[in-house]
Amino acid sequence: MNKEILIILGSPNASSGQLSAISINRLNYCVEHYQKGNRVLCTGGWGVHFNTSTASHASLAKQYLIEKGVLEDDFLDFALSANTVEDAVKIKPIITKFENSNLTIITSDYHLKRVKLIFNTILKAYALNFVGVKSNLEQDAYNALVQHEKHAIDAIIQNGLYF
Protein backbone atom coordinates (compact mmCIF):
# COMPACT_ATOMS: atom_id res chain seq x y z
CA MET A 1 0.00 0.00 0.00
CA ASN A 2 1.27 3.45 -0.90
CA LYS A 3 1.77 5.81 1.99
CA GLU A 4 0.56 9.37 1.83
CA ILE A 5 2.82 12.33 2.44
CA LEU A 6 0.97 15.42 3.66
CA ILE A 7 2.93 18.52 2.64
CA ILE A 8 1.89 21.78 4.29
CA LEU A 9 3.18 24.82 2.45
CA GLY A 10 4.55 27.64 4.55
CA SER A 11 2.56 30.78 5.17
CA PRO A 12 2.85 33.88 7.36
CA ASN A 13 3.57 34.00 11.05
CA ALA A 14 4.29 36.92 13.34
CA SER A 15 7.80 37.91 14.36
CA SER A 16 6.88 36.45 17.78
CA GLY A 17 6.32 33.08 16.10
CA GLN A 18 2.54 33.21 16.39
CA LEU A 19 0.98 31.45 13.40
CA SER A 20 -1.41 33.39 11.15
CA ALA A 21 -5.01 32.35 10.45
CA ILE A 22 -3.82 31.22 6.99
CA SER A 23 -1.23 28.94 8.59
CA ILE A 24 -3.65 27.54 11.14
CA ASN A 25 -6.26 26.77 8.44
CA ARG A 26 -3.68 24.76 6.47
CA LEU A 27 -2.38 22.98 9.56
CA ASN A 28 -5.87 22.12 10.79
CA TYR A 29 -6.63 20.53 7.42
CA CYS A 30 -3.52 18.39 7.89
CA VAL A 31 -4.61 17.36 11.40
CA GLU A 32 -8.11 16.43 10.17
CA HIS A 33 -6.74 14.24 7.36
CA TYR A 34 -3.71 12.80 9.13
CA GLN A 35 -3.64 9.11 9.98
CA LYS A 36 -0.90 7.34 11.92
CA GLY A 37 1.71 6.20 9.41
CA ASN A 38 1.19 9.11 7.04
CA ARG A 39 4.33 11.15 6.57
CA VAL A 40 4.17 14.90 7.20
CA LEU A 41 6.46 17.46 5.58
CA CYS A 42 6.42 21.08 6.71
CA THR A 43 7.86 23.82 4.51
CA GLY A 44 8.96 27.35 5.22
CA GLY A 45 12.15 28.88 6.48
CA TRP A 46 12.45 32.62 6.80
CA GLY A 47 11.60 35.62 4.67
CA VAL A 48 10.70 39.26 5.08
CA HIS A 49 7.30 38.58 3.49
CA PHE A 50 6.26 35.73 5.80
CA ASN A 51 8.57 34.96 8.75
CA THR A 52 11.02 37.18 10.60
CA SER A 53 10.96 35.17 13.84
CA THR A 54 14.00 33.29 15.13
CA ALA A 55 12.33 29.91 14.45
CA SER A 56 11.73 28.54 10.97
CA HIS A 57 8.12 28.53 9.88
CA ALA A 58 8.37 24.74 9.39
CA SER A 59 9.42 24.24 13.03
CA LEU A 60 6.51 26.38 14.24
CA ALA A 61 4.15 24.34 12.07
CA LYS A 62 5.56 21.04 13.38
CA GLN A 63 5.17 22.20 16.98
CA TYR A 64 1.51 23.07 16.31
CA LEU A 65 0.87 19.70 14.62
CA ILE A 66 2.47 17.74 17.48
CA GLU A 67 0.28 19.62 19.96
CA LYS A 68 -2.71 18.50 17.86
CA GLY A 69 -1.70 14.83 17.92
CA VAL A 70 0.56 14.23 14.90
CA LEU A 71 3.26 11.75 15.94
CA GLU A 72 6.90 12.92 15.97
CA ASP A 73 7.99 9.78 14.11
CA ASP A 74 5.77 10.64 11.13
CA PHE A 75 7.58 13.90 10.27
CA LEU A 76 10.04 14.13 7.41
CA ASP A 77 12.86 16.68 7.26
CA PHE A 78 11.88 20.32 6.81
CA ALA A 79 11.99 22.06 3.45
CA LEU A 80 13.38 25.41 4.63
CA SER A 81 12.12 27.43 1.69
CA ALA A 82 11.48 31.13 1.17
CA ASN A 83 8.86 30.88 -1.61
CA THR A 84 6.62 28.47 -3.51
CA VAL A 85 9.19 27.50 -6.15
CA GLU A 86 11.69 26.70 -3.39
CA ASP A 87 8.99 24.64 -1.66
CA ALA A 88 8.85 22.26 -4.62
CA VAL A 89 12.62 22.29 -5.24
CA LYS A 90 13.52 21.61 -1.60
CA ILE A 91 10.83 18.95 -1.17
CA LYS A 92 12.19 16.88 -4.05
CA PRO A 93 15.35 15.48 -2.36
CA ILE A 94 13.41 14.77 0.85
CA ILE A 95 10.79 12.63 -0.89
CA THR A 96 13.05 10.71 -3.30
CA LYS A 97 13.08 7.62 -1.07
CA PHE A 98 9.27 7.64 -1.04
CA GLU A 99 8.77 7.30 -4.80
CA ASN A 100 5.58 5.24 -4.52
CA SER A 101 3.91 7.65 -2.14
CA ASN A 102 1.01 9.92 -2.95
CA LEU A 103 1.78 13.56 -2.23
CA THR A 104 -0.97 15.78 -0.88
CA ILE A 105 0.04 19.43 -1.19
CA ILE A 106 -1.88 21.59 1.30
CA THR A 107 -2.12 25.29 0.56
CA SER A 108 -4.84 27.98 0.53
CA ASP A 109 -7.62 28.42 -2.00
CA TYR A 110 -6.21 31.68 -3.41
CA HIS A 111 -2.76 30.04 -3.90
CA LEU A 112 -3.89 26.76 -5.47
CA LYS A 113 -3.58 27.62 -9.17
CA ARG A 114 0.04 28.79 -8.86
CA VAL A 115 0.98 25.82 -6.66
CA LYS A 116 -0.40 23.41 -9.29
CA LEU A 117 1.55 25.18 -12.04
CA ILE A 118 4.82 25.00 -10.09
CA PHE A 119 4.50 21.54 -8.54
CA ASN A 120 3.23 19.86 -11.72
CA THR A 121 6.42 21.10 -13.39
CA ILE A 122 9.01 20.41 -10.69
CA LEU A 123 7.50 17.21 -9.23
CA LYS A 124 5.93 15.82 -12.39
CA ALA A 125 7.20 12.28 -11.65
CA TYR A 126 5.00 12.02 -8.55
CA ALA A 127 1.31 11.38 -7.94
CA LEU A 128 0.15 14.78 -6.72
CA ASN A 129 -3.08 15.71 -4.96
CA PHE A 130 -3.74 19.38 -4.30
CA VAL A 131 -5.86 20.90 -1.55
CA GLY A 132 -6.78 24.57 -1.46
CA VAL A 133 -8.04 25.16 2.07
CA LYS A 134 -10.75 27.82 2.26
CA SER A 135 -9.44 31.15 3.48
CA ASN A 136 -11.47 32.96 6.09
CA LEU A 137 -10.00 36.35 5.29
CA GLU A 138 -11.69 39.71 5.03
CA GLN A 139 -12.73 40.35 1.43
CA ASP A 140 -10.17 43.13 0.83
CA ALA A 141 -7.29 41.01 2.12
CA TYR A 142 -8.48 38.01 0.09
CA ASN A 143 -8.81 40.11 -3.08
CA ALA A 144 -5.27 41.49 -2.60
CA LEU A 145 -3.90 37.93 -2.35
CA VAL A 146 -5.85 36.83 -5.43
CA GLN A 147 -4.39 39.79 -7.34
CA HIS A 148 -0.87 38.93 -6.14
CA GLU A 149 -1.35 35.34 -7.34
CA LYS A 150 -2.60 36.50 -10.74
CA HIS A 151 0.54 38.63 -11.20
CA ALA A 152 2.80 35.77 -10.04
CA ILE A 153 1.14 33.31 -12.47
CA ASP A 154 1.36 35.81 -15.31
CA ALA A 155 5.09 36.23 -14.59
CA ILE A 156 5.65 32.45 -14.70
CA ILE A 157 3.72 32.15 -17.96
CA GLN A 158 5.58 35.08 -19.48
CA ASN A 159 9.10 34.34 -18.21
CA GLY A 160 9.07 30.61 -17.52
CA LEU A 161 9.73 28.79 -14.29
CA TYR A 162 13.31 29.02 -13.05
CA PHE A 163 14.58 26.55 -10.48
PDB file of all heavy atoms in Angstrom, residues 2 33 45 64-65 67 75-76 79 81 95 108 124 152:
ATOM      1  N   ASN A   2       0.511   2.195  -0.840  1.00  0.00           N
ATOM      2  CA  ASN A   2       1.270   3.449  -0.900  1.00  0.00           C
ATOM      3  C   ASN A   2       0.939   4.325   0.299  1.00  0.00           C
ATOM      4  O   ASN A   2      -0.215   4.480   0.666  1.00  0.00           O
ATOM      5  CB  ASN A   2       0.928   4.220  -2.173  1.00  0.00           C
ATOM      6  CG  ASN A   2       1.428   3.523  -3.406  1.00  0.00           C
ATOM      7  OD1 ASN A   2       2.230   2.611  -3.315  1.00  0.00           O
ATOM      8  ND2 ASN A   2       0.948   3.933  -4.546  1.00  0.00           N
ATOM      9  N   HIS A  33      -6.934  15.292   8.359  1.00  0.00           N
ATOM     10  CA  HIS A  33      -6.738  14.235   7.362  1.00  0.00           C
ATOM     11  C   HIS A  33      -5.567  13.304   7.668  1.00  0.00           C
ATOM     12  O   HIS A  33      -5.347  12.328   6.961  1.00  0.00           O
ATOM     13  CB  HIS A  33      -6.605  14.862   5.968  1.00  0.00           C
ATOM     14  CG  HIS A  33      -7.886  15.471   5.538  1.00  0.00           C
ATOM     15  ND1 HIS A  33      -8.252  16.743   5.897  1.00  0.00           N
ATOM     16  CD2 HIS A  33      -8.931  14.961   4.846  1.00  0.00           C
ATOM     17  CE1 HIS A  33      -9.466  16.996   5.423  1.00  0.00           C
ATOM     18  NE2 HIS A  33      -9.896  15.930   4.784  1.00  0.00           N
ATOM     19  N   GLY A  45      11.018  28.433   5.669  1.00  0.00           N
ATOM     20  CA  GLY A  45      12.148  28.876   6.476  1.00  0.00           C
ATOM     21  C   GLY A  45      11.873  30.266   6.996  1.00  0.00           C
ATOM     22  O   GLY A  45      11.020  30.463   7.862  1.00  0.00           O
ATOM     23  N   TYR A  64       2.970  22.988  16.286  1.00  0.00           N
ATOM     24  CA  TYR A  64       1.509  23.066  16.313  1.00  0.00           C
ATOM     25  C   TYR A  64       0.901  21.688  16.033  1.00  0.00           C
ATOM     26  O   TYR A  64      -0.013  21.247  16.736  1.00  0.00           O
ATOM     27  CB  TYR A  64       1.032  24.084  15.269  1.00  0.00           C
ATOM     28  CG  TYR A  64      -0.468  24.249  15.204  1.00  0.00           C
ATOM     29  CD1 TYR A  64      -1.115  25.191  15.999  1.00  0.00           C
ATOM     30  CD2 TYR A  64      -1.248  23.467  14.354  1.00  0.00           C
ATOM     31  CE1 TYR A  64      -2.497  25.346  15.952  1.00  0.00           C
ATOM     32  CE2 TYR A  64      -2.628  23.615  14.293  1.00  0.00           C
ATOM     33  CZ  TYR A  64      -3.245  24.554  15.097  1.00  0.00           C
ATOM     34  OH  TYR A  64      -4.614  24.706  15.045  1.00  0.00           O
ATOM     35  N   LEU A  65       1.411  21.011  15.004  1.00  0.00           N
ATOM     36  CA  LEU A  65       0.866  19.701  14.622  1.00  0.00           C
ATOM     37  C   LEU A  65       1.072  18.659  15.717  1.00  0.00           C
ATOM     38  O   LEU A  65       0.179  17.838  15.983  1.00  0.00           O
ATOM     39  CB  LEU A  65       1.489  19.237  13.305  1.00  0.00           C
ATOM     40  CG  LEU A  65       1.102  20.055  12.075  1.00  0.00           C
ATOM     41  CD1 LEU A  65       1.967  19.662  10.884  1.00  0.00           C
ATOM     42  CD2 LEU A  65      -0.382  19.907  11.750  1.00  0.00           C
ATOM     43  N   GLU A  67       1.246  19.274  18.907  1.00  0.00           N
ATOM     44  CA  GLU A  67       0.275  19.618  19.959  1.00  0.00           C
ATOM     45  C   GLU A  67      -1.125  19.126  19.613  1.00  0.00           C
ATOM     46  O   GLU A  67      -1.931  18.867  20.497  1.00  0.00           O
ATOM     47  CB  GLU A  67       0.263  21.134  20.193  1.00  0.00           C
ATOM     48  CG  GLU A  67       1.520  21.647  20.867  1.00  0.00           C
ATOM     49  CD  GLU A  67       1.621  23.166  20.893  1.00  0.00           C
ATOM     50  OE1 GLU A  67       0.670  23.862  20.465  1.00  0.00           O
ATOM     51  OE2 GLU A  67       2.682  23.661  21.321  1.00  0.00           O
ATOM     52  N   PHE A  75       7.082  12.705  10.962  1.00  0.00           N
ATOM     53  CA  PHE A  75       7.578  13.902  10.275  1.00  0.00           C
ATOM     54  C   PHE A  75       8.809  13.585   9.435  1.00  0.00           C
ATOM     55  O   PHE A  75       9.691  12.849   9.859  1.00  0.00           O
ATOM     56  CB  PHE A  75       7.929  15.014  11.279  1.00  0.00           C
ATOM     57  CG  PHE A  75       6.738  15.712  11.832  1.00  0.00           C
ATOM     58  CD1 PHE A  75       6.128  15.260  12.995  1.00  0.00           C
ATOM     59  CD2 PHE A  75       6.194  16.811  11.181  1.00  0.00           C
ATOM     60  CE1 PHE A  75       5.012  15.899  13.508  1.00  0.00           C
ATOM     61  CE2 PHE A  75       5.077  17.461  11.679  1.00  0.00           C
ATOM     62  CZ  PHE A  75       4.485  17.001  12.851  1.00  0.00           C
ATOM     63  N   LEU A  76       8.849  14.160   8.256  1.00  0.00           N
ATOM     64  CA  LEU A  76      10.038  14.126   7.410  1.00  0.00           C
ATOM     65  C   LEU A  76      10.855  15.382   7.696  1.00  0.00           C
ATOM     66  O   LEU A  76      10.411  16.290   8.418  1.00  0.00           O
ATOM     67  CB  LEU A  76       9.635  14.081   5.936  1.00  0.00           C
ATOM     68  CG  LEU A  76       8.843  12.847   5.502  1.00  0.00           C
ATOM     69  CD1 LEU A  76       8.432  12.967   4.044  1.00  0.00           C
ATOM     70  CD2 LEU A  76       9.637  11.579   5.746  1.00  0.00           C
ATOM     71  N   ALA A  79      11.566  21.379   4.669  1.00  0.00           N
ATOM     72  CA  ALA A  79      11.993  22.060   3.451  1.00  0.00           C
ATOM     73  C   ALA A  79      12.040  23.543   3.817  1.00  0.00           C
ATOM     74  O   ALA A  79      11.009  24.212   3.857  1.00  0.00           O
ATOM     75  CB  ALA A  79      11.022  21.795   2.310  1.00  0.00           C
ATOM     76  N   SER A  81      12.286  26.636   2.911  1.00  0.00           N
ATOM     77  CA  SER A  81      12.118  27.429   1.693  1.00  0.00           C
ATOM     78  C   SER A  81      11.713  28.863   2.018  1.00  0.00           C
ATOM     79  O   SER A  81      11.246  29.157   3.115  1.00  0.00           O
ATOM     80  CB  SER A  81      11.040  26.766   0.840  1.00  0.00           C
ATOM     81  OG  SER A  81       9.892  26.534   1.651  1.00  0.00           O
ATOM     82  N   ILE A  95      11.771  13.676  -0.573  1.00  0.00           N
ATOM     83  CA  ILE A  95      10.791  12.627  -0.890  1.00  0.00           C
ATOM     84  C   ILE A  95      11.310  11.558  -1.840  1.00  0.00           C
ATOM     85  O   ILE A  95      10.588  10.608  -2.133  1.00  0.00           O
ATOM     86  CB  ILE A  95       9.494  13.237  -1.467  1.00  0.00           C
ATOM     87  CG1 ILE A  95       9.768  13.998  -2.762  1.00  0.00           C
ATOM     88  CG2 ILE A  95       8.820  14.128  -0.427  1.00  0.00           C
ATOM     89  CD1 ILE A  95       8.545  14.466  -3.494  1.00  0.00           C
ATOM     90  N   SER A 108      -3.585  27.224   0.381  1.00  0.00           N
ATOM     91  CA  SER A 108      -4.837  27.977   0.531  1.00  0.00           C
ATOM     92  C   SER A 108      -5.526  28.106  -0.813  1.00  0.00           C
ATOM     93  O   SER A 108      -4.877  28.027  -1.866  1.00  0.00           O
ATOM     94  CB  SER A 108      -4.540  29.373   1.089  1.00  0.00           C
ATOM     95  OG  SER A 108      -3.935  29.263   2.362  1.00  0.00           O
ATOM     96  N   LYS A 124       6.802  16.497 -11.437  1.00  0.00           N
ATOM     97  CA  LYS A 124       5.930  15.818 -12.392  1.00  0.00           C
ATOM     98  C   LYS A 124       6.009  14.296 -12.324  1.00  0.00           C
ATOM     99  O   LYS A 124       5.110  13.608 -12.780  1.00  0.00           O
ATOM    100  CB  LYS A 124       6.187  16.315 -13.807  1.00  0.00           C
ATOM    101  CG  LYS A 124       7.585  16.075 -14.321  1.00  0.00           C
ATOM    102  CD  LYS A 124       7.762  16.693 -15.688  1.00  0.00           C
ATOM    103  CE  LYS A 124       9.240  16.701 -16.048  1.00  0.00           C
ATOM    104  NZ  LYS A 124       9.594  17.812 -16.869  1.00  0.00           N
ATOM    105  N   ALA A 152       1.745  36.782 -10.143  1.00  0.00           N
ATOM    106  CA  ALA A 152       2.800  35.765 -10.045  1.00  0.00           C
ATOM    107  C   ALA A 152       2.630  34.711 -11.140  1.00  0.00           C
ATOM    108  O   ALA A 152       3.614  34.293 -11.764  1.00  0.00           O
ATOM    109  CB  ALA A 152       2.779  35.119  -8.662  1.00  0.00           C
TER     110      ALA A 152
END
